Amino acid sequence: MSTERFCKEIAGYFGEAVAADDVLVKECIAMCQAYNLTVEALLYKWQALSYSTTKSLPLLTLKFVPDLKAKLQQELSRTNATKQETTSQNVVSSNFARTRGKASGFSRLPIARSLDVPLNVGPVRSTIVKSEVSEFVGSRIVFEGPKMDPQSRKNRAYRYMYEKVSERSEALDDRIDEFADLVQKHYHIDEFADPDAATEESTTIVGRIVLDSEMSTSGAKLNESSLVIESSRMMGSGVRVPIRLTPETKIRGGIKGIGGSSFFPGAIVALRGRNGGGGFFLVEEILTLPPIKTPSPPPSDANASFSMCIACGPFTVDSDLEYKPWENLLDTLRASKPAVLLLVGPFVDATNSRIKDGDLDDTPERLFQSQFIEKLQTFLIQSPETTVLLVPSINDITSDHAVFPQCELGVESSGDPRMRYLPNPCRFSINGVSFGVTSVDTLFHLRKEEFFRRALEIDPLIPVSEPATDAMSSLARNIIHQRSFYPIFPAPFDLAHEVNLDVAHSEGLRLVESEDECTPDVLVLPGRLKHFSKVVDTSVVINPSFLTKGTYATMSYTGQASGLAKDRITINISRIS
């Protein structure tokens, strides 16, 4: 690399103040050449050294150069020692093989030579970032997310299009049976009945709301006269029975003030009534599903406070691949420097008109690398304490897993540990605040399919504050009560391509894994409906809409306060300039 090129990169990574010092520039060039480093790698080395010793990121000056050289030499010596040890082991193995060769008449094997020259570490960005950045980045952020061990990643990257009918049926039955256990414990029910069996006394049934085949293909919406319940094979041989609601039908155990219950294809319901032999189940009471455990108030801790920016793709308009909305957001981020940046795909949208027409100058992988990975790495140099979270979309052409639930993007895209790749959907926590995120437009799909039935309330739960009863809150509450990021089955006929639902792996859609888990403090549900942020029961639900519509969300969490996390969170829906 020429000296002029070195100077430009030093100015870009270290700043104009460093580039203006000719002596310091010569020292930087000498270190890069002596230790075979790129200027960016040298910056990471300097940041790691300064943060580990002073817990700050001061400007590089001549007085720090000896310390930086000492660190580089120490790392080189340690690397050479490891290499020497490995070489010695190879020599022993070769000598042993040579001895065996003589004894058995085989030819002599060559002996490995030791390496006395410095190890050429090369400008491999991922190796440098993995070993260094984790030493100083994220001091304010404690992140807990999905397991990233090889087996967990392999389980999420399952083979699709190999789904068997028996596997789908078993997964659907398991979901009904799991809710039946919850309902039985919550309402102290001795046993459940078969909805198809005629009885004179009232019985309790649990099943899934379904559409008949004619309605599902015609696109007709569910209504009161078309409600059908399907039991599991264990409780009712999987039979489907029409259900009838009357003006006297009541709802038990719901949140006071909601005043009704939602029905949609795939919803699990518990009903009390009887089948008088008329070919339908007459509903006397709708039993509200048991609520998820309420989270405990986080401890008051000033160090737990953090800021967050949430942006959802598409990140460029449908007519081009210039990513102007994304560029505008980056300009804002450089000024605000949030502690956490959550980006939800699609990043390279397969439905973009340019991509569908094949009008590309680069491969989709290279487009993702240049527009996101490289720009995020540059941003992280300017904001080194930011943690970036990336959640893919079904429409991401760079993802080789185009079904839902969807595994994370390949970690080979970047070696920076500050950039975390998460599956879709995912649960994670930041400084004790739990999040649930998906890129599928579940709210819009529910809005299209939901039928809300009002009923008289019996034994309602008294909320601490007045519950939200608007349409968006009702849709979000369905996701929470059904304990699934996508509780609809089957997906709407005209929207099925947006979700590519893999029913056999629907355990990956669970909002909570067990009864001991709590409702997420924050639910991020982006979609085409109007942007909003609302408190629904104990969760803050956010729809930032799409960045191409000019909106994104900012969040601030106050750690030093009392009460639940929802009371310490402030959400703003902002517009890009």
Side-chain angles (χ1 to χ4, degrees), residues 387-434:
T387 297
V388 180
L389 310 176
L390 296 99
V391 178
S393 164
I394 301 300
N395 289 332
D396 264 310
I397 197 171
T398 55
S399 173
D400 56 3
H401 203 78
V403 291
F404 191 60
Q406 180 182 22
C407 68
E408 60 276 4
L409 295 171
V411 294
E412 65 275 3
S413 300
S414 168
D416 195 325
R418 293 172 293 181
M419 295 173 60
R420 299 178 182 271
Y421 299 88
L422 304 177
N424 173 34
C426 60
R427 284 286 307 267
F428 59 88
S429 69
I430 297 173
N431 291 3
V433 180
S434 60

Side-chain angles (χ1 to χ4, degrees), residues 200-217:
E200 294 182 358
E201 298 180 351
S202 296
T203 59
T204 304
I205 62 173
V206 175
R208 175 187 299 102
I209 298 298
V210 297
L211 274 173
D212 59 50
S213 57
E214 292 184 3
M215 291 189 64
S216 61
T217 55

Side-chain angles (χ1 to χ4, degrees), residues 167-186:
E167 293 174 343
R168 289 168 58 94
S169 176
E170 185 176 353
L172 293 170
D173 272 3
D174 287 346
R175 180 165 164 78
I176 296 176
D177 294 338
E178 287 173 8
F179 272 94
D181 291 339
L182 294 173
V183 171
Q184 188 171 30
K185 293 177 184 177
H186 186 74

Side-chain angles (χ1 to χ4, degrees), residues 13 47 188 297 330 334 357 367 369 437 451 502 541 544 563:
Y13 286 107
Q47 289 178 333
H188 308 291
L330 279 174
R334 293 185 187 102
D357 295 339
L367 188 62
Q369 189 76 20
V437 182
F451 161 66
D502 190 303
V541 182

Side-chain angles (χ1 to χ4, degrees), residues 267-322:
I268 306 298
V269 295
L271 308 173
R272 184 170 291 161
R274 59 191 178 88
N275 186 335
F280 60 87
F281 188 88
L282 184 65
V283 180
E284 299 169 358
E285 291 183 6
I286 303 169
L287 305 182
T288 304
L289 296 177
I292 303 177
K293 183 179 177 182
T294 302
S296 303
S300 180
D301 181 6
N303 293 326
S305 301
F306 66 92
S307 60
M308 187 174 188
C309 175
I310 305 169
C312 304
F315 292 87
T316 186
V317 296
D318 182 67
S319 58
D320 64 48
L321 293 172
E322 296 180 6

Side-chain angles (χ1 to χ4, degrees), residues 158-283:
Y158 57 87
R159 292 198 315 167
Y160 55 92
M161 297 180 67
Y162 289 87
E163 198 177 31
K164 298 178 181 178
V165 174
S166 59
E167 293 174 343
R168 289 168 58 94
S169 176
E170 185 176 353
L172 293 170
D173 272 3
D174 287 346
R175 180 165 164 78
I176 296 176
D177 294 338
E178 287 173 8
F179 272 94
D181 291 339
L182 294 173
V183 171
Q184 188 171 30
K185 293 177 184 177
H186 186 74
Y187 289 100
H188 308 291
I189 298 171
D190 293 331
E191 62 178 354
F192 293 105
D194 181 350
D196 194 41
T199 60
E200 294 182 358
E201 298 180 351
S202 296
T203 59
T204 304
I205 62 173
V206 175
R208 175 187 299 102
I209 298 298
V210 297
L211 274 173
D212 59 50
S213 57
E214 292 184 3
M215 291 189 64
S216 61
T217 55
S218 64
K221 188 174 180 178
L222 195 71
N223 55 59
E224 188 168 334
S225 62
S226 63
L227 289 174
V228 177
I229 191 170
E230 178 184 68
S231 64
S232 69
R233 286 173 292 184
M234 184 178 71
M235 290 188 291
S237 302
V239 68
R240 294 185 174 187
V241 179
I243 60 176
R244 294 289 182 266
L245 305 176
T246 68
E248 290 75 30
T249 299
K250 302 175 178 61
I251 181 168
R252 181 180 295 274
I255 299 174
K256 184 176 178 60
I258 301 299
S261 180
S262 293
F263 297 90
F264 53 87
I268 306 298
V269 295
L271 308 173
R272 184 170 291 161
R274 59 191 178 88
N275 186 335
F280 60 87
F281 188 88
L282 184 65
V283 180

